Amino acid sequence: MEQIIEHEREVYLVEELELRVIMEADTYKRNCDDLWEQYKFDPDYFNRFMQGPLLNEFMQTIYTRSKPLNNNEINKWLTISLSQFKTHTPQLRKETMKELFWKQYWYPNIEPKPYTTMGDFYEKYFGHVFKWYEKHFHLFQEATEQALQDFKKGYLGSFADFSIQAQQEPKSKLKTNLTVKEIAYLFRALYEEGIIDAKHKTDIFNFIAESFSSKQKEDVSANSIKNAFDVPDFNAVDFWQGKFTHLMQRAKKDKEK
């Protein structure tokens, strides 16, 4: 069964935005369903999220992804991304996004029925999220237009009119000798043990993506972390079982010093 993953082809900004919205919709619903005593459904959550954290994250993505590219690559990437705001409008992509949400919600299980028959409960929830996406879609288009203008003026990355956060130099990532699945399981173990706390798991996924590199590549996507976090890999669990045993032995020795 398919899941939301990074494809080998270039994923441009609107497609990436769609996947990010779907990921947040899935995470928020799971929190409300599974942790209902802690998370009460907030009908204004996605309104605030899309205008604030998501927009800031989107603009920071433009900056960080364009930084290693040459001028021709930046121009191509931004131009095609901007054109997607016409070919990937919310109304044109509603069914595609609904199908993506349905697959992500049931992953790693097979969907019990097609997304077209998901039922009123899920339809209403997706419609609620989509309503705010459609309302704030123009903000992301304006940010992309501004980025292209900044590039043409020779100072891409300033984004002074949009976000202080986006002006900051991206921090260097901590290099690890771990795979994405091993990083994800470590943080899952810390989270479930109560060692780290986060209002939303998405905060953990974003922190890992922004702060760590895996042994395979420099950039780790929040979405790949989420999938590995939600469904632990057997080999990753086995790896950490051995490491946790070794760390316990090390701590015992340190106490005896």
Side-chain angles (χ1 to χ4, degrees), residues 66-131:
S66 64
K67 192 172 182 181
L69 303 179
N70 62 42
N71 285 346
N72 288 335
E73 291 170 334
I74 294 174
N75 185 60
K76 176 185 174 183
W77 175 61
L78 284 176
T79 301
I80 295 177
S81 288
L82 191 57
S83 71
Q84 278 196 336
F85 283 93
K86 296 179 180 179
T87 61
H88 288 56
T89 62
Q91 282 305 317
L92 289 175
R93 296 284 290 178
K94 186 174 183 179
E95 291 301 308
T96 299
M97 291 181 66
K98 188 185 297 185
E99 184 177 11
L100 285 173
F101 166 73
W102 191 239
K103 290 188 177 197
Q104 182 69 11
Y105 180 75
W106 286 103
Y107 177 80
N109 300 311
I110 297 175
E111 306 93 290
K113 54 187 177 180
Y115 82 95
T116 51
T117 58
M118 65 172 62
D120 288 344
F121 179 77
Y122 296 100
E123 286 275 3
K124 287 180 179 178
Y125 176 74
F126 175 81
H128 171 78
V129 177
F130 188 81
K131 173 188 71 174

Side-chain angles (χ1 to χ4, degrees), residues 222-241:
N223 190 52
S224 62
I225 290 292
K226 178 190 184 303
N227 288 327
F229 188 101
D230 290 342
V231 185
D233 175 72
F234 175 84
N235 291 329
V237 177
D238 187 60
F239 169 83
W240 279 113
Q241 183 178 13

